[in-house]
Amino acid sequence: MDGNNKSLGDLSINFWKREFRCPCKKCKRKKVRVSELLLFKLEMLRVALGNRPIIINSGNRCPEYNANIGGYPNSAHIPNPDGEAADIKIKGVKPIDIGLAAEKIGGLRIGIARTYVHLDVRKPSPSRFWIYENNIIYSAKIENESLLKFYQIIKGK
Ligand SMILES: [Zn+2]
Ligand SMILES: [Zn+2]
């Protein structure tokens, strides 16, 4: 590692609480809670994809904000006690390529959207991969071994 690359983030080397804070007004002063395991996986993913910055589209969500944006009631974005999900993007890297790198790292549930990727560290139930396409969520069966295969099936429709 470059000697000038100091550890900076207040959550982990490259991640900051402000990136993961629920964006609603009520949560301005609330504690940001992010799973250590998720942060570790995100750091690994960053390295795997050439150390490009990972942009956090959505980290923590309070139940009210989550409901307002149409999230699942028991979304992994809602801290319980830690937030276990992040919606991410990386400039110049397609969501499916982020997803495939995340699959290699393992231990992540992966949702591929058109402009971002949902990642969380919850157990793969009911599904390990899903794809958002034209307002439909396609969930891969738990026994589905390959994200790429599943992606090709959905995109081939
Ligand atoms: Zn909130
Ligand atoms: Zn998400």
Side-chain angles (χ1 to χ4, degrees), residues 90-147:
I90 300 173
K91 248 189 175 172
V93 184
K94 283 186 207 141
I96 182 60
D97 292 327
I98 296 173
L100 292 172
E103 181 187 18
K104 250 188 217 165
I105 286 164
L108 287 160
R109 298 196 306 174
I110 303 164
I112 308 289
R114 206 168 50 80
T115 57
Y116 69 89
V117 178
H118 166 100
L119 299 174
D120 74 57
V121 290
R122 287 234 180 119
K123 288 211 176 76
S125 163
S127 177
R128 199 150 67 89
F129 311 127
W130 54 92
I131 293 169
Y132 311 93
E133 173 94 348
N134 301 323
N135 293 321
I136 299 168
I137 301 173
Y138 297 95
S139 271
K141 289 206 176 87
I142 206 156
E143 60 271 23
N144 202 312
E145 286 299 314
S146 157
L147 173 60

Side-chain angles (χ1 to χ4, degrees), residues 22-28 30 60-65:
C22 176
C24 86
K25 265 188 192 161
K26 261 181 54 187
C27 290
K28 259 186 182 156
K30 230 194 220 166
N60 281 182
R61 296 175 192 166
C62 64
E64 294 80 4
Y65 177 76

Side-chain angles (χ1 to χ4, degrees), residues 12-100:
S12 65
I13 297 170
N14 291 291
F15 296 102
W16 297 80
K17 286 175 184 166
R18 59 176 149 77
E19 299 177 290
F20 281 84
R21 183 178 295 281
C22 176
C24 86
K25 265 188 192 161
K26 261 181 54 187
C27 290
K28 259 186 182 156
R29 295 214 171 82
K30 230 194 220 166
K31 208 169 177 203
V32 175
R33 305 206 52 151
V34 185
S35 146
E36 291 288 335
L37 181 60
L38 178 66
L39 290 165
F40 179 65
K41 303 270 182 193
L42 289 172
E43 292 288 1
M44 283 177 77
L45 183 65
R46 184 183 153 118
V47 171
L49 289 167
N51 259 318
R52 274 179 274 203
I54 291 177
I55 298 155
I56 309 295
N57 276 2
S58 180
N60 281 182
R61 296 175 192 166
C62 64
E64 294 80 4
Y65 177 76
N66 183 65
N68 284 344
I69 62 167
Y72 276 121
N74 72 339
S75 167
H77 288 278
I78 301 171
N80 183 30
D82 293 329
E84 296 179 298
D87 293 348
I88 67 163
K89 58 183 179 183
I90 300 173
K91 248 189 175 172
V93 184
K94 283 186 207 141
I96 182 60
D97 292 327
I98 296 173
L100 292 172

